[in-house]
Amino acid sequence: MVFTPSPMLLKLLYTRGSLHNLPHSGVAFSIKNRLDNVNLTGFKQVQIGEVVIPAEKIHVDLGNGERRAATDINADGRAIELPVGRSLEVFLDTPRLAEGMHPVQIWFSTDAFGDLHVEVEDAIVGLASFKPHIPRSQEDDYSEAAIAARQRFAEEFSGKQFQHLKRYSFDPHVLKGNCEHFTGVAQIPVGLAGPLLVNGEHAQGEFLIPMATTEGTLVASYNRGMQVLNLCGGVKCTVIGDAMQRAPVFVFSDARGARDFGKWVEESIEQIRPQAESTSSVAKLQYIDTYLSNKFAYLRFNFSTGDAAGQNMVGRATFAACSWILENYRGAKVEHFYLESNFATDKKASQINVMRTRGKRVVAEAVVKRDVLQQRMRVTPEQLAYHGQVSNVGAFLSGANNNGAHSANGITAMFIATGQDVANVSESSAGVLYSEVTAEGDLYISITIPSLIVATHGGGTGLATQNECLEMLGCVGRGTVRKFAEIVAGVVLAGELSLGAAISSSDWVSSHEQYGRNR
């Protein structure tokens, strides 16, 4: 099912800033499908100011050197495929425009949306002074020729020769959708820790852990923590929450309008759900939270996203839902709408994600035997538990999003190794560490990771070395993302145990001196 775009959203089909004069004569601009997969079935006319340009004077650039006359676009076998994300440049046989603002109107049609009329304003600006541009190919930007051109450009621009940057062992075409202007690779060392014994609901058994890092002692420290956990029966891991968000905002003229809108959304969830889920066979809308402030209604859409992290997936799904909302809400006028209000806190640590979950909410816990802790870590359960209380005060005073030691270290190293979106460490590093001395005199230790954003499908998970590292963990294939989340949580707990003990026993500095100095 394809959603119906509201007039407010139709403006997004035009690429602002794309209006420009052609070198000799004529004018051009770009449109980009930011709505849903459709076919362009007609292009009637364009109007700039008072000048109407009919279809006979319009051509559409399809890429790869192919242009199509607007009069040759129709639904009878001459439609143009226009999937989400595709851009088309439109060429107009009309006199050049003067610098300044110009109203632009476009009339065209698609198989899904029917006849569309888009009205925007754009500007013609003077030519900027020439600056060198990174080479790229319209035909195949991942070809050997295109990559070699960028490598030469980088060497000429910097005056340096690059030997290692240019070496890689995979077909660059697999990077489409992962990296633009591909020029080479950054080789990051991968060390192995473990195996780690995980007693999860999805991850069960021993796992060899690939960790990509340039920080000395990191792999050794995590490996030490894993050995201790293994000697005590392993680490118990549980996924207790799973949701990915997009948080649009609707702006009204006053607070009452926002309040009434929030009530309507709550009452209309069963009508909104199929609209959101129409864009994906995977994304499922769980619930919508409404937060009101001033004259703003912030909606926090919560989805399950299968094995994908899902930020893009839920963005598209929420866009479809909001388009239906804008079209069907009959209350106070929506003055403005933004698909993301900064309330989902994408790529940022936040308290709402600690409280409400973003990605996977995972708990890793273990009971560490007193004798193992003393023999292997040179600390007692009482020392570590007391040290944890002191650290809690420090974390509270500093306003940190984590009262533990360094969960970001293990998470980042695993993210790089397995092709995760590394910027998600900003959210995923949040953690709540707890420890206590048991009645038997052992140490109970656990960490809750409230916003662990991971994937075993999509993004960079299918790339060469990244996919091999996921294969090492047995986390390739359908239904493996929670398994991966449990393994990551277990690794994090191993690191907390190791570094906490090192600080308590004063081994921290000496260990870095031994393993972490590159003299």
Side-chain angles (χ1 to χ4, degrees), residues 228 232 367-383 436-444:
V228 169
C232 300
V367 175
V368 184
K369 299 297 183 182
R370 171 180 289 271
D371 57 344
V372 174
L373 195 61
Q374 288 183 299
Q375 291 168 9
R376 294 301 183 108
M377 298 291 195
R378 291 180 290 281
V379 292
T380 65
E382 289 80 8
Q383 282 179 277
E436 66 180 32
V437 180
T438 69
E440 294 75 24
D442 300 321
L443 178 75
Y444 169 83

Side-chain angles (χ1 to χ4, degrees), residues 171-222:
D171 180 358
H173 289 90
V174 303
L175 295 173
K176 190 173 183 180
N178 290 106
C179 180
E180 301 78 37
H181 298 172
F182 174 70
T183 305
V185 296
Q187 300 181 70
I188 301 175
V190 176
L192 296 177
L196 172 65
L197 178 58
V198 180
N199 304 314
E201 293 177 310
H202 306 276
Q204 297 172 355
E206 293 186 320
F207 298 92
L208 194 60
I209 309 299
M211 308 187 80
T213 183
T214 57
E215 180 184 348
T217 76
L218 187 147
V219 177
S221 177
Y222 278 85

Side-chain angles (χ1 to χ4, degrees), residues 249-436:
V249 60
F250 294 77
V251 181
F252 296 86
S253 61
D254 57 27
R256 292 179 185 175
R259 178 199 63 189
D260 295 344
F261 172 77
K263 292 180 179 178
W264 179 85
V265 168
E266 182 179 352
E267 295 166 355
S268 305
I269 181 67
E270 294 307 320
Q271 288 77 46
I272 296 171
R273 179 174 283 109
Q275 302 297 321
E277 296 178 358
S278 69
T279 63
S280 170
S281 61
V282 175
K284 302 299 179 185
L285 179 61
Q286 299 177 20
Y287 56 93
I288 303 173
D289 288 327
T290 301
Y291 298 86
L292 302 176
S293 179
N294 305 92
K295 56 181 181 177
F296 310 130
Y298 296 89
L299 303 184
R300 196 168 185 263
F301 284 71
N302 296 266
F303 293 86
S304 59
T305 58
D307 289 310
Q311 289 102 317
N312 294 333
M313 183 192 302
V314 303
R316 187 179 175 203
T318 303
F319 193 55
C322 290
S323 183
W324 183 88
I325 289 171
L326 289 166
E327 191 70 18
N328 288 274
Y329 182 58
R330 298 291 180 260
K333 179 184 176 183
V334 178
E335 302 289 343
H336 299 284
F337 159 76
Y338 303 98
L339 180 61
E340 181 49 60
S341 63
N342 222 9
F343 200 75
T345 65
D346 201 7
K347 310 293 173 68
K348 295 175 286 293
S350 68
Q351 189 60 31
I352 191 168
N353 289 340
V354 170
M355 298 297 294
R356 298 289 287 159
T357 302
R358 180 170 170 83
K360 308 296 183 286
R361 192 178 194 93
V362 198
V363 177
E365 54 192 339
V367 175
V368 184
K369 299 297 183 182
R370 171 180 289 271
D371 57 344
V372 174
L373 195 61
Q374 288 183 299
Q375 291 168 9
R376 294 301 183 108
M377 298 291 195
R378 291 180 290 281
V379 292
T380 65
E382 289 80 8
Q383 282 179 277
L384 272 187
Y386 180 73
H387 182 190
Q389 294 183 51
V390 176
S391 295
N392 284 343
V393 176
F396 173 77
L397 289 175
S398 67
N401 71 337
N402 192 322
N403 68 328
H406 67 147
S407 64
N409 261 335
I411 292 172
T412 304
M414 292 194 70
F415 273 22
I416 296 172
T418 59
Q420 309 300 309
D421 186 339
V422 183
N424 285 330
V425 172
S426 57
E427 298 138 282
S428 301
S429 64
V432 183
L433 185 69
Y434 173 77
S435 64
E436 66 180 32

